[in-house]
Amino acid sequence: MATDNKTALIQLEGIHKTYQDGVLKVHALCDINLSVGRGELITIMGPSGSGKSTLLHILGCLDHPTEGRYLFDGEDTNEYRDRKLAETRNQRIGFVFQSFNLLQRETAIENVTLPLMYAGANEAQSRAKEALRKVGLGERLNHRPGQLSGGEQQRVAIARAIVKRPDVILADEPTGNLDTQVGSNIKDVFKNLHADGLTIVLITHNPDVAEMGTRKLKLRDGQLEA
């Protein structure tokens, strides 16, 4: 479950996550150790309740571990202040979720441009067009979500994630709301992005989706298995 630590973009060392539920302690993650090198496509499969979303939230700097260290590009995220955490999430990590989370009144290109506007990026329109073309939606720039199929909406969400040119994409069940054929098309989008050199960590419960990983891991009862 390890890559060369010198080239690791992501390094988890002894990660535990415990929640307090009244008088009970719920151990969501137990001693997770994981290295992800640049350019890898890691798939993590596990049943509901195995800790997949908790792990993704920690990887995305959306939550803190109870114990252990998370090194992002060699820096200990435990030492990040709120501003540094926000900058890392906004500029270096792209998120793709099961629900597309698109603004219904905005067009595809407007949805994709939003992250760049908040970050003050230049040439937002041209970069958004480039991202949409990369996911096969070059002819759907001015369509609103209601005018797009589920698969096309997920492609917009992926374009929104990659338009920032992040170091890594974190995808949480990106085919979960899609039928088999459309899900297969979304798999192809991720394969193409990986072929372009993008680092991807993809959480899924679907064995077919998990098979596309250059490394395939399993999460069970909060513990990671090869």
Side-chain angles (χ1 to χ4, degrees), residues 9-76:
L9 175 63
I10 287 171
Q11 181 81 20
L12 301 182
E13 300 176 352
I15 295 293
H16 293 254
K17 183 63 181 181
T18 303
Y19 296 100
Q20 193 76 35
D21 185 8
V23 297
L24 298 176
K25 287 186 176 181
V26 178
H27 301 286
L29 297 175
C30 303
D31 195 26
I32 300 292
N33 295 281
L34 174 66
S35 295
V36 179
R38 291 183 180 276
E40 285 199 274
L41 198 174
I42 306 294
T43 56
I44 302 176
M45 187 178 170
S48 178
S50 62
K52 301 192 303 297
S53 292
T54 301
L55 177 59
L56 202 76
H57 286 171
I58 290 174
L59 291 173
C61 295
L62 296 167
D63 199 0
H64 296 283
T66 307
E67 299 177 40
R69 289 204 312 165
Y70 172 21
L71 304 178
F72 186 85
D73 202 10
E75 296 182 342
D76 190 344

Side-chain angles (χ1 to χ4, degrees), residues 46-156:
S48 178
S50 62
K52 301 192 303 297
S53 292
T54 301
L55 177 59
L56 202 76
H57 286 171
I58 290 174
L59 291 173
C61 295
L62 296 167
D63 199 0
H64 296 283
T66 307
E67 299 177 40
R69 289 204 312 165
Y70 172 21
L71 304 178
F72 186 85
D73 202 10
E75 296 182 342
D76 190 344
T77 60
N78 287 333
E79 299 176 0
Y80 282 6
R81 295 183 180 274
D82 288 346
R83 182 173 181 177
K84 179 70 170 179
L85 284 169
E87 288 177 351
T88 301
R89 288 192 299 264
N90 293 338
Q91 299 175 20
R92 304 192 66 184
I93 301 174
F95 297 92
V96 179
F97 298 103
Q98 181 173 340
S99 54
F100 317 128
N101 298 327
L102 301 178
L103 299 177
Q104 296 300 309
R105 294 185 179 182
E106 307 294 333
T107 63
I109 194 167
E110 288 168 341
N111 269 282
V112 175
T113 302
L114 280 173
L116 297 179
M117 293 176 65
Y118 294 145
N122 295 324
E123 302 177 356
Q125 285 277 322
S126 62
R127 284 176 58 177
K129 288 178 182 178
E130 177 190 357
L132 284 163
R133 291 192 187 104
K134 190 169 287 188
V135 299
L137 288 181
E139 305 301 319
R140 296 285 191 272
L141 303 180
N142 296 311
H143 287 62
R144 290 182 170 80
Q147 299 170 308
L148 300 172
S149 68
E152 288 172 331
Q153 290 185 60
Q154 187 61 292
R155 287 171 186 258
V156 174

Side-chain angles (χ1 to χ4, degrees), residues 167-221:
D167 294 279
V168 61
I169 292 291
L170 303 178
D172 190 3
E173 302 283 7
T175 64
N177 282 339
L178 306 173
D179 63 38
T180 302
Q181 181 57 54
V182 176
S184 179
N185 294 337
I186 295 300
K187 280 173 52 183
D188 290 340
V189 172
F190 280 108
K191 288 178 181 178
N192 291 336
L193 293 174
H194 173 244
D196 286 342
L198 189 59
T199 307
I200 301 170
V201 178
L202 191 152
I203 301 286
T204 185
H205 68 274
N206 187 324
D208 291 334
V209 175
E211 278 302 312
M212 72 176 176
T214 54
R215 273 197 293 153
K216 299 173 281 292
L217 307 176
K218 292 183 179 180
L219 193 63
R220 189 182 303 277
D221 298 327

